Amino acid sequence: MKRRIFLGATAGLLTSPLTARAQAVPKGGYGVGVTGLPALPAGFQSFPYVNANAPKGGAVTFSEIGGFDSFNPFIIRGSPAAGANYLWDTLMRQSDNEAAVAYGLLAESVEVAPDHGSVTFTLHPEAKFSDGSPVLASDVVWSFQTFCTKGQPYFQQYYAAVAAPAAVSDRQVVFKLHAGAPREMPLILGQLAVLPQAWWKGRDFTAPLIEAPIGSGPYKVESSALNRSVSYRRRPDYWAADLPVCRGFYNFDRITYEYFGDPSVAMEAFKAGDIDFRNENISKNWATGYDFPAVQKGLVRKQVFKDRLPVGMQGFGMNSRRPVFSDPRVRQAMAWAFDFEWANKVLFYGSYQRTTSYFSNSDLASSGVPTGAELALLEPYRAQLPAELFTKPFALPVNDGSGNNRPALIAALHILEQAGWTVKDRQLKNAAGQPLTFEILLNDPSFERVTLPYAQDLKRLGVNVTVRVIDPSEYQQRMDDFDFDMTVVLFPESDVPGSEQRDYWGSAAAKLTGSNNLMGVSSPVVDALIAKVVAATDRDQLYAAVHALDRVLLWGWYVVPQWYLGAYRLAFWNVFGYPATPMRAGFDIDSWWVDETLARATDTQRHHSNEV
């Protein structure tokens, strides 16, 4: 699965009416919000969901699958090291407990012009890089311009509303915005990582970076072995350690990522005590894989942390650039062939709910048939849309979970016949006699348990389908080049969808190598509705536009929708403390710490805990 990069507004619940523009607190303010002013007062001491007095110390080791060959996560080339985000601070830090709200980090203050024509950030006077040099407005401008010209393509999409950045002094930078800029633009700019221009002078930003870079973040690279492991050491001289937005975070002295070629090997390393923490995303593992003695003795804990965030779309994404998937009727038939109910019962132990929207688990999800303002948005495009979109609620087949999904397969076959495919010699062929053939590409063998049964049902229809698992680095390159037929995709969403939708579904992104528009969505209707989403000035306009966009994407059948959980399943050795206050985001590992008492008790038994 390729996890899509997301730089839009924070996810969360809309609890107050949308303002026409993003709001900053009064001039010289410490935060900015899209749905209203920040909830925390000036002079707040820490986020309420962290332990501001969390002890510092100890070490934690995580597992990663695949490999890495670069410390530059901002470019297409190379595979960036896990944890590289710890090296650089951003202008602002978004709250885990408020929807679309951020507070100053590198930026001491932020000011949004009354006409939304500019955003001004004033840098904290104490902001420094790890070599002791100050973070300057010129570094902000250089970082922005470098990301847009040499970074991954999505930067151009996210920052398209910026007319020009300018350093008006050493500490102040102004971003002038185009007319009609997205309301969340101040938040998107607040997520800008700031790199030291002087350090990069003479270095090729577009090439993978194998030396440890200079940054302004809470950690620095301590050691690394390409494709094997990387360790980060907490900086005792971190300039922002006592800022309210950092208090209670970054408590581990050392963070290490160990790389494995196979997830099952990573699991064995966790059981052996070499890995401290797992975020388990496989239901079978969660249900049956944690019965080893360390769990029974209480040395390893299993805990579910529920989140209160909207989910996006996960599914089998079809590359509509390929002739085999250029017809939406063929794509619809692929959705009809997937037996979610059987998979959920047999493979997932009933853990999941079916995804039926690109904005599931939120009020942004479309439902029923279009009415009112949503219908008014769709009406001009009636001739370009399926007639059923206006008369039928979007629905997926519901099977009985027995594995006998014959009625859905028969319906899929009828759809394929309408698209010109007929069964000849037990194979689906078109009028030219060409078979319906494609490959499902994966980067994780654990997903075969879902994909192989799906492929068997497709073969029952007469589809010549193969399933292939490849190395994560090769997989990433093929995704960047759109070199695939079908794969598993994940598109996260937020309460305040905005300019990231252009990168997900916009026609321009469909032609841009490395963009997030994997399925090749290229529709004037979708483009027009994205523009309506971005330009919405109140809650009602936003909901109408997102409902319409959601509905058009669903009826385009670009994805075979899968499922969602709405929680994190965590397994960890019992050495950690974590905040008692629940957070909307579920959990934040950066707010955890090593509890010395628990660690002493656990570590004395850790490497012998599974002996019978």
Side-chain angles (χ1 to χ4, degrees):
M1 179 189 305
K2 182 174 183 181
R3 296 187 180 276
R4 307 311 300 165
I5 298 172
F6 175 62
L7 294 178
T10 51
L13 300 173
L14 280 171
T15 56
S16 59
L18 263 173
T19 54
R21 302 295 184 189
Q23 293 187 30
V25 292
K27 189 172 182 178
Y30 55 93
V32 64
V34 173
T35 62
L37 293 174
L40 299 180
F44 74 96
Q45 295 301 300
S46 67
F47 286 119
Y49 50 84
V50 303
N51 176 5
N53 299 312
K56 309 288 186 183
V60 61
T61 302
F62 303 104
S63 62
E64 289 287 329
I65 307 302
F68 75 96
D69 59 8
S70 176
F71 286 106
N72 185 350
F74 308 107
I75 59 174
I76 289 182
R77 295 173 61 189
S79 298
N85 56 294
Y86 287 120
L87 301 176
W88 299 280
D89 279 334
T90 53
L91 290 171
M92 308 193 79
R93 182 180 190 132
Q94 296 195 8
S95 169
D96 286 332
N97 250 21
E98 297 176 69
V101 169
Y103 297 87
L105 180 50
L106 283 172
E108 183 180 43
S109 66
V110 56
E111 181 182 356
V112 181
D115 64 354
H116 201 65
S118 66
V119 183
T120 301
F121 295 97
T122 300
L123 299 178
H124 200 288
E126 297 180 10
K128 290 181 173 59
F129 293 109
S130 54
D131 64 353
S133 61
V135 179
L136 302 175
S138 56
D139 294 310
V140 178
V141 172
W142 180 86
S143 299
F144 176 88
Q145 293 175 334
T146 300
F147 292 163
C148 289
T149 57
K150 299 180 179 180
Q152 294 194 36
Y154 63 77
F155 286 115
Q156 298 177 30
Q157 296 288 324
Y158 285 117
Y159 298 140
V162 176
V168 297
S169 70
D170 282 349
R171 290 182 50 216
Q172 196 167 75
V173 58
V174 178
F175 292 89
K176 292 190 178 299
L177 306 180
H178 291 298
R183 64 201 164 279
E184 78 275 14
M185 207 62 214
L187 288 182
I188 293 176
L189 290 170
Q191 295 171 345
L192 178 70
V194 180
L195 281 58
Q197 179 181 6
W199 188 85
W200 282 94
K201 186 176 182 180
R203 290 178 170 89
D204 182 1
F205 189 82
T206 65
L209 180 69
I210 61 174
E211 62 180 307
I214 296 297
S216 59
Y219 289 85
K220 62 181 180 180
V221 177
E222 182 179 57
S223 62
S224 66
L226 296 185
N227 293 316
R228 293 175 54 191
S229 69
V230 56
S231 292
Y232 301 91
R233 168 66 67 170
R234 184 170 60 85
R235 291 176 47 204
D237 61 343
Y238 177 44
W239 75 273
D242 292 325
L243 287 186
V245 294
C246 293
R247 199 168 288 136
F249 291 100
Y250 312 127
N251 302 311
F252 305 121
D253 278 349
R254 180 186 293 111
I255 298 175
T256 298
Y257 296 88
E258 295 287 348
Y259 280 79
F260 298 88
D262 187 277
S264 62
V265 179
M267 178 63 174
E268 291 304 313
F270 173 74
K271 292 165 66 174
D274 297 328
I275 302 298
D276 296 306
F277 178 98
R278 281 179 62 85
N279 182 0
E280 184 58 70
N281 57 12
I282 299 176
S283 294
K284 181 181 180 181
N285 286 352
W286 188 251
T288 66
Y290 292 88
D291 57 354
F292 49 95
V295 176
Q296 298 161 3
K297 296 174 184 177
L299 300 175
V300 168
R301 295 181 57 188
K302 290 176 62 184
Q303 190 158 342
V304 174
F305 289 78
K306 293 185 177 181
D307 67 58
R308 292 171 285 148
L309 304 177
V311 297
M313 172 61 76
Q314 177 178 308
F316 291 107
M318 292 164 279
N319 188 354
S320 65
R321 303 173 186 84
R322 298 287 174 95
V324 67
F325 288 133
S326 61
D327 189 328
R329 293 172 295 185
V330 173
R331 301 195 296 264
Q332 181 183 0
M334 299 303 101
W336 246 243
F338 179 56
D339 192 347
F340 165 75
E341 288 73 24
W342 176 86
N344 196 36
K345 178 182 177 180
V346 176
L347 302 179
F348 305 145
Y349 299 83
S351 299
Y352 295 117
Q353 299 181 59
R354 187 74 189 268
T355 299
T356 56
S357 166
Y358 283 79
F359 303 88
S360 285
N361 202 39
S362 78
D363 293 337
L364 294 168
S366 60
S367 61
V369 296
T371 59
E374 180 194 354
L375 179 59
L377 289 176
L378 293 169
E379 194 63 52
Y381 310 106
R382 183 180 284 269
Q384 303 173 56
L385 295 170
E388 296 89 345
L389 180 149
F390 293 91
T391 60
K392 296 180 180 179
F394 177 82
L396 296 165
V398 178
N399 301 303
D400 61 11
S402 68
N404 179 17
N405 60 335
R406 181 177 172 82
L409 292 178
I410 292 174
L413 189 58
H414 289 329
I415 296 170
L416 288 167
E417 289 172 347
Q418 294 169 17
W421 296 89
T422 56
V423 177
K424 298 177 182 178
D425 301 323
R426 305 184 69 177
Q427 280 192 323
L428 279 166
K429 296 182 179 181
N430 60 16
Q434 299 169 322
L436 202 166
T437 301
F438 65 88
E439 177 185 75
I440 305 176
L441 195 65
L442 305 174
N443 70 343
D444 185 345
S446 67
F447 227 86
E448 287 182 300
R449 59 194 291 266
V450 179
T451 308
L452 290 175
Y454 176 45
Q456 288 300 316
D457 280 334
L458 290 172
K459 289 177 181 179
R460 290 170 63 191
L461 283 175
V463 178
N464 182 18
V465 59
T466 57
V467 178
R468 184 183 177 197
V469 181
I470 61 175
D471 177 82
S473 60
E474 180 186 356
Y475 178 86
Q476 180 68 54
Q477 185 61 54
R478 289 187 61 174
M479 293 301 105
D480 289 339
D481 293 337
F482 310 128
D483 182 16
F484 70 97
D485 299 323
M486 177 185 284
T487 191
V488 178
V489 295
L490 173 62
F491 295 92
E493 290 292 356
S494 77
D495 291 297
V496 190
S499 57
E500 76 284 346
Q501 304 301 309
R502 292 192 176 105
D503 189 45
Y504 285 175
W505 335 113
S507 295
K511 305 181 183 79
L512 191 62
T513 299
S515 82
N516 285 318
N517 190 345
L518 287 180
M519 286 88 72
V521 182
S522 184
S523 161
V525 179
V526 171
D527 291 341
L529 293 174
I530 291 173
K532 294 292 186 181
V533 170
V534 171
T537 58
D538 60 45
R539 183 184 180 119
D540 291 340
Q541 287 184 19
L542 177 69
Y543 274 40
V546 174
H547 288 165
L549 174 63
D550 183 35
R551 197 179 303 275
V552 170
L553 290 172
L554 289 170
W555 282 94
W557 298 104
Y558 299 102
V559 168
V560 178
Q562 291 178 346
W563 54 80
Y564 67 93
L565 179 64
Y568 294 94
R569 296 175 293 212
L570 306 183
F572 50 92
W573 285 85
N574 192 22
V575 300
F576 298 107
Y578 52 84
T581 303
M583 64 178 68
R584 296 176 62 253
F587 83 103
D588 187 339
I589 192 63
D590 291 330
S591 67
W592 289 30
W593 63 90
V594 172
D595 184 304
E596 290 187 1
T597 301
L598 292 175
R600 279 194 298 269
T602 296
D603 289 343
T604 56
Q605 306 176 66
R606 181 192 287 242
H607 293 288
H608 305 284
S609 62
N610 292 313
E611 296 176 356
V612 179

